[in-house]
Structure formats: structure tokens, C-alpha cells
């Protein structure tokens, strides 16, 4: 019998010394400058996040350029290093648009292979001076079309629930053309782009309705590569979101363990009761499964493995369910205080509920996963 070789080098699933150091630096920085009260305070500002901290992350630590090649102003590391930063941002409930800017938009540009667009936008993403997002990437909602006129391409139509859609400086849009879907770069202006913030459950991740009314745009990449660019970007986004969810789940478990060790009832810590131990053990087991799923998706994204679609879908399912469980226990095991507006638990619950449908529901991921591994065809037979 021929022995199967692993699709991914097992060493890629372990954290390097550099990644551990990055994690320590980021955790200390978030503890200092992005506590829960800081998050609440900045949610009330026009941009919804601490712009000074955004600049520090880009300038002092280089988070924004971790996965950006050096030729485009980045550090030339891989998605594995970026995933560490995303996990720590999820743990701290960091509310700046890292996911749409540094993951979705930056990787869409890289996957497109358009050197001109990369040279124009990636250096500014890497240094923190440009925020960006994507729109129209859901193929089930073809709401934007591109028309070619004498002065170039213009966009018409609408895209809803666009991450950071109301504030992003750049929007990469998947739009329909007579020759098929294509990717476009649009720097929205008030006269041609109407951006309406949506009221969403998770206020730490702003979304908006974007209406294009003849907005000038520049084609990015080729028409032939547009769909593969969108697909690869979404799978990378799922891997990134999984890392965030692992970080949030870790915070919820740690905070709950700390509380049940201090809260006394009947003369003993409530964490000493067997029922509480069992519930926390269930969260720990789920969290370890989520870490494994996220690590595999991260490794696949880091080396551009053809297994990324499978790994990303699996991570999306496992990490979403883990985050939901961890935040539910975060609330329940804190008792009455866990239900109050003042306690941070509800912010993590909102993040968990919003994240689990961000790139498709768990059922949708399971269906796609079944197709990818050939189970759907067997079921049909």
C-alpha cells in the first residue's frame, strides 16, 4: 500500500519563534491601547476605531504589510504571520478594518496579478495610509455592472453590507461586463458613490450599502482571471476570519475560567463544581479543534495550496461553532453580570454571531465542502 504524504508540511502547523514574539508584542499593545473601554469609546467616533493605533500597528509593528511582498512596500512574510496578528486582534475585539483592508483588498490585488494596481495601492495599504474593501464578491448578488465610455469604465448598481463600505478609501468591485464579470478599482467620491451605513448586530465591524452612480473605475487584472481572483480572495478571507474567531474564543474561555475561579457560592469557587468543569472542558475541546482547523487553513493560505478551499470551508464551520459556544458560556457562566450592557461578554457574542454568516453560513460551507471532496456527487447517485 502506498503511503499518503501530507498535503502540508507539518512544520507549517507549528508557531515559529518570530511568530511567538509577534504575538507577545501585539497582545501587550492591545492590552495597553485597545481594551474594552477603548473599543466602546472609539465606536462612537466617525470612523469607529482608534486611528492612532491603526497607524502604530502599520508603522511600528508593520502588521499591514506582513503578507505584502517587499517590492510593494511590505515585509515579505506570509499569511501565517498575518494570521497571528488577526488572532490577537480577534482576542482584543479590535474594531479597525484589518479584515477588509489587509486581507480582502490586499489579497485581491495580489491574486489579480495586476502590477500597476499593486504598485499604486499596496504600498499605501502597507503603511496604513489607505483603507480598502471589496464589494460584489458574492456571486448570488450580481448588483453592479460596469459600462465603458469615452473616458473609461464607470460603475452602476449597488452592493449591500460592504465591510467598512462607508469609510474605505478604495473599493475593489466585482462587476458584470458584456464579456463577463471583471474586477475594478474604485475610489468612491460623494457625487458618484452613495454610501449608507447599515445598522448591524456587531457594531465593531461596520458595514454599508454602496450605490454606484456612474462612479469612475479602473479595470484590475484580466477578465479571464476575475472569478478565480474572487474565489481565492474569499477563501483567504475565511481563513483570516477563522483566526480571528480562535482569538475571540480564547479570550472568552480565559475570561470565564478566571471568573469561576474567583466567584464563590456555598463557600467554594463555582469553578470547583463538576457541572461547571464539564462545560468549560467542552469549550476547551472545541477550541483545540478550532485551533487545528485554523492552523491548517492558515498553512494552506501561506503556501497557496490547492487545498485552501477545503481547508477554508472546514475552518469556517469549526471556528464559527466554537466561537458561538465559547461566547454563550462566557455569558451563562458569568451569571447575571454576563447579561448586562456594561459587561464585555455581549460584545463578543455580537462579534460571534456576525462572523458566523460573514462569508456564508455554516450550512453553505458544508454544502460547498461536500462538493469539493466529492460527497455531493455520491449523494446524488
Amino acid at each position: 500500500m502506498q503511503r499518503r504524504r501530507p498535503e502540508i508540511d507539518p512544520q507549517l502547523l507549528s508557531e515559529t519563534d518570530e511568530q511567538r514574539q509577534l504575538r507577545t508584542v501585539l497582545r501587550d499593545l492591545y492590552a495597553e491601547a485597545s481594551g474594552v473601554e477603548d473599543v466602546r469609546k472609539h465606536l462612537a467616533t466617525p470612523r469607529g476605531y482608534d486611528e492612532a493605533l491603526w497607524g502604530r500597528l502599520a508603522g511600528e509593528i508593520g502588521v499591514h504589510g506582513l503578507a505584502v511582498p517587499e517590492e510593494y512596500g511590505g515585509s515579505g512574510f506570509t499569511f501565517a504571520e498575518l494570521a497571528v496578528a488577526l488572532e490577537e486582534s480577534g482576542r482584543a475585539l479590535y474594531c479597525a478594518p484589518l479584515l477588509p483592508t489587509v486581507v480582502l483588498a490586499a489579497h485581491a490585488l495580489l491574486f489579480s496579478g495586476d502590477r500597476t494596481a499593486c504598485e499604486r495601492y499596496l504600498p499605501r495599504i502597507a503603511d496604513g495610509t489607505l483603507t480598502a474593501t471589496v464589494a460584489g464578491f458574492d456571486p448570488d448578488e450580481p448588483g453592479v455592472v460596469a459600462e465603458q465610455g469615452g473616458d473609461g469604465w464607470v460603475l452602476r448598481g449597488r452592493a449591500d453590507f460592504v465591510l467598512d463600505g462607508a469609510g474605505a478609501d478604495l473599493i475593489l468591485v466585482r462587476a458584470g461586463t458584456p464579456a463577463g464579470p471583471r474586477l475594478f478599482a474604485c475610489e468612491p467620491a460623494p457625487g458618484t458613490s452613495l454610501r449608507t451605513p447599515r445598522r448591524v448586530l456587531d457594531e465593531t465591524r461596520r458595514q454599508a450599502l454602496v450605490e454606484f452612480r456612474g462612479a469612475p473605475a479602473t479595470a484590475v487584472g484580466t477578465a479571464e482571471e476575475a472569478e478565480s481572483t474572487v474565489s481565492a480572495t474569499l477563501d483567504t478571507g475565511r481563513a483570516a476570519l477563522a483566526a480571528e474567531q480562535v482569538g475571540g474564543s480564547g479570550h472568552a474561555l480565559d475570561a470565564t475560567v478566571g471568573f469561576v475561579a474567583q466567584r464563590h457560592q456555598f463557600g467554594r469557587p463555582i469553578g470547583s463544581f463538576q457541572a461547571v468543569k464539564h462545560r468549560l472542558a467542552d469549550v476547551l475541546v472545541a477550541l483545540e479543534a478550532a485551533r487545528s482547523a485554523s492552523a491548517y487553513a492558515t498553512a494552506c493560505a501561506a503556501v497557496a495550496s490547492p487545498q485552501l478551499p477545503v481547508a477554508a470551508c472546514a475552518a469556517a464551520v469549526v471556528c464559527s461553532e466554537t466561537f458561538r459556544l465559547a461566547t454563550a458560556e462566557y455569558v451563562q457562566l458569568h451569571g447575571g453580570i454576563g447579561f448586562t450592557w456594561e459587561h464585555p461578554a455581549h460584545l463578543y457574542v455580537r462579534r460571534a454571531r456576525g462572523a458566523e454568516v460573514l462569508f456564508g453560513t455554516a450550512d453553505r460551507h458544508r454544502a460547498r465542502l461536500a462538493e469539493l471532496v466529492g460527497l455531493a456527487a455520491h449523494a446524488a447517485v
Side-chain angles (χ1 to χ4, degrees):
M1 180 182 293
Q2 184 178 3
R3 180 179 296 178
R4 293 188 61 190
R5 295 183 179 180
E7 299 287 348
I8 292 293
D9 183 349
Q11 290 187 345
L12 295 175
L13 304 177
S14 301
E15 207 167 62
T16 65
D17 290 338
E18 291 81 1
Q19 290 166 3
R20 278 190 288 271
Q21 292 171 10
L22 175 62
R23 183 182 301 281
T24 299
V25 169
L26 286 171
R27 188 167 298 187
D28 290 344
L29 178 60
Y30 283 133
E32 168 201 336
S34 189
V36 172
E37 292 309 314
D38 296 299
V39 171
R40 293 181 191 273
K41 179 178 69 175
H42 292 294
L43 286 178
T45 64
R47 281 299 276 127
Y49 62 90
D50 185 350
E51 295 183 70
L53 179 57
W54 175 264
R56 289 183 65 186
L57 285 171
E60 294 179 17
I61 304 177
V63 167
H64 301 190
L66 283 172
V68 175
E70 292 181 272
E71 62 182 309
Y72 300 128
S75 303
F77 289 102
T78 70
F79 183 82
E81 285 71 31
L82 179 57
V84 172
L86 292 165
E87 184 177 335
E88 290 306 310
S89 72
R91 184 181 182 90
L93 209 70
Y94 183 51
C95 51
L98 272 179
L99 181 63
T101 299
V102 180
V103 178
L104 298 178
H107 282 82
L109 289 167
L110 289 170
F111 291 142
S112 74
D114 190 321
R115 291 189 60 85
T116 300
C118 288
E119 290 172 352
R120 180 175 182 180
Y121 296 118
L122 285 177
R124 288 191 284 158
I125 287 178
D127 68 16
T129 58
L130 180 78
T131 57
T133 190
V134 300
F137 275 35
D138 188 342
D140 295 332
E141 298 179 4
V144 183
V145 297
E147 303 171 354
Q148 194 165 23
D151 296 328
W153 292 97
V154 295
L155 302 178
R156 301 187 186 280
R158 50 188 278 163
D160 209 351
F161 296 103
V162 177
L163 295 174
D164 196 38
D169 304 312
L170 169 71
I171 304 179
L172 295 174
V173 187
R174 175 186 176 274
T177 72
R182 194 165 182 184
L183 195 62
F184 294 88
C186 174
E187 299 181 41
T192 56
S193 301
L194 178 62
R195 303 194 276 180
T196 307
R198 288 298 199 191
R199 186 177 181 183
V200 291
L201 180 65
D202 178 16
E203 296 178 339
T204 66
R205 181 164 276 147
R206 293 189 175 187
Q207 301 179 48
L209 167 66
V210 182
E211 298 176 87
F212 300 100
R213 302 176 176 179
T218 304
V220 175
T222 63
E224 294 76 18
E225 298 295 326
E227 292 297 75
S228 62
T229 295
V230 169
S231 180
T233 300
L234 290 176
D235 282 330
T236 304
R238 293 180 182 107
L241 186 61
E244 273 195 9
Q245 291 168 320
V246 167
S249 300
H251 163 83
L253 178 59
D254 289 348
T256 307
V257 169
F259 177 78
V260 300
Q262 297 176 359
R263 177 75 167 89
H264 282 64
Q265 189 64 268
F266 305 111
R268 55 191 283 198
I270 64 173
S272 66
F273 293 108
Q274 191 174 41
V276 174
K277 290 180 181 180
H278 285 177
R279 291 171 68 169
L280 291 175
D282 288 342
V283 176
L284 178 60
V285 170
L287 178 56
E288 289 306 310
R291 289 191 197 281
S292 297
S294 175
Y296 185 63
T298 292
C300 287
V303 298
S305 168
Q307 287 296 309
L308 176 59
V310 171
C313 280
V317 173
V318 175
C319 297
S320 292
E321 292 181 348
T322 296
F323 200 11
R324 173 192 274 262
L325 172 65
T327 53
E329 296 292 19
Y330 191 10
V331 172
Q332 293 290 332
L333 293 179
H334 271 77
I337 188 64
F339 289 87
T340 64
W341 186 259
E342 292 76 17
H343 197 276
H346 78 91
L347 294 175
Y348 284 86
V349 170
R350 289 166 179 258
R351 172 64 71 87
R353 295 301 177 88
E356 68 180 328
V357 297
L358 193 56
F359 297 122
T361 63
D363 287 344
R364 185 171 172 182
H365 293 314
R366 287 190 179 97
R368 181 176 180 233
L369 189 57
E371 293 178 1
L372 290 169
V373 300
L375 291 178
H378 289 298
V381 173

